[in-house]
Amino acid sequence: MGASQTRTEKYQDLADKTGFSLEQIENLHKRFQRLSDNEETIRNQHPKEVGSCEEIGFEQFLMVMSHFRPPSLKTTEEEKEAMRKEKLRFLFNMHDTGNDGTITLVEYRKVVEELLSKSGDIEQETVKAMADAAMLEVASTNVPHMAPDEFYEGITFEHFEQILKGLEMETKMYIRFLDVETPTLSCGNSTS
């Protein structure tokens, strides 16, 4: 009973920090255990990347996931706007690996490379050209009267917000809570 009480208290503390309900935290903990093979941490697939950690524990996992908690029926427009800004900031920070408040061309190229690297059909020079063209488009949108000799430093958070202003991420970009105990089907065989 003591261990259960401690878990409930810990989950309540996490609920206060993240905005998740106790039931949602329990569900996410089960997911975390599956992802980690019942270990205390999940290992990062890209530990050498700047700004990444090699392992994260459940609390860190929950904090990251809290950026994508679903809005409730009682969520006000003001709260939705705060959720939107929080999600935008989180996404921006994922790409601003230099933590300098700007997504540079080099950082943006890295994102495009990561997104397209799985296909194997696109050459490195093509990926670079795509990233450069996209960044040029962003520059022309954000700084429309830029002189030919001016250098575009990169995407600031304000520019990032402007670029994504029409995207309803506060209502579309969230975690869906499904039953963790649902069996996984693989080649016609059920596994649990």
Side-chain angles (χ1 to χ4, degrees):
M1 180 151 179
S4 177
Q5 181 65 22
T6 303
R7 176 177 267 188
T8 302
E9 289 171 2
K10 181 157 180 68
Y11 280 7
Q12 185 58 56
D13 182 47
L14 292 171
D16 294 341
K17 287 180 182 177
T18 63
F20 284 123
S21 70
L22 296 176
E23 183 181 358
Q24 289 170 329
I25 291 172
E26 182 67 35
N27 189 314
L28 286 168
H29 190 257
K30 288 176 185 176
R31 292 281 179 195
F32 181 86
Q33 288 177 314
R34 281 193 160 178
L35 289 169
S36 69
D37 290 328
N38 293 319
E39 297 291 329
E40 295 290 317
T41 59
I42 296 175
R43 293 190 185 279
N44 187 355
Q45 298 298 318
H46 306 286
K48 303 279 190 256
E49 289 183 10
V50 175
S52 68
C53 58
E54 291 192 27
E55 296 181 335
I56 65 167
F58 177 63
E59 188 168 342
Q60 291 169 303
F61 173 78
L62 202 59
M63 295 305 289
V64 169
M65 299 305 287
S66 73
H67 292 286
F68 303 99
R69 70 181 181 276
S72 74
L73 296 175
K74 298 176 187 175
T75 304
T76 66
E77 288 303 315
E78 193 173 273
E79 291 169 325
K80 283 182 184 177
E81 184 56 35
M83 290 174 81
R84 173 184 172 66
K85 197 154 195 122
E86 183 181 324
K87 288 175 185 182
L88 282 171
R89 177 58 72 181
F90 178 77
L91 291 172
F92 179 84
N93 290 341
M94 282 177 53
H95 296 65
D96 177 21
T97 57
N99 296 320
D100 60 359
T102 304
I103 301 172
T104 65
L105 178 57
V106 171
E107 291 168 330
Y108 189 71
R109 278 183 189 150
K110 178 104 173 110
V111 170
V112 174
E113 286 173 12
E114 294 238 347
L115 289 172
L116 299 176
S117 67
K118 302 291 186 234
S119 74
D121 297 334
I122 302 173
E123 293 181 20
Q124 193 68 26
E125 280 304 309
T126 305
V127 170
K128 182 178 178 278
M130 290 170 71
D132 291 354
M135 187 63 88
L136 184 60
E137 178 68 25
V138 169
S140 68
T141 302
N142 292 321
V143 190
H145 304 294
M146 198 164 89
D149 61 336
E150 285 185 272
F151 176 73
Y152 183 62
E153 297 290 329
I155 303 169
T156 64
F157 181 68
E158 291 74 26
H159 292 161
F160 193 73
E161 275 187 300
Q162 191 65 26
I163 293 165
L164 299 175
K165 72 179 173 192
L167 184 63
E168 291 183 43
M169 63 178 48
E170 65 281 4
T171 58
K172 304 228 185 272
M173 197 170 153
Y174 64 91
I175 302 168
R176 288 185 178 86
F177 286 90
L178 304 173
D179 183 8
V180 174
E181 303 305 323
T182 303
T184 304
L185 297 177
S186 176
C187 299
N189 296 325
S190 176
T191 60
S192 8

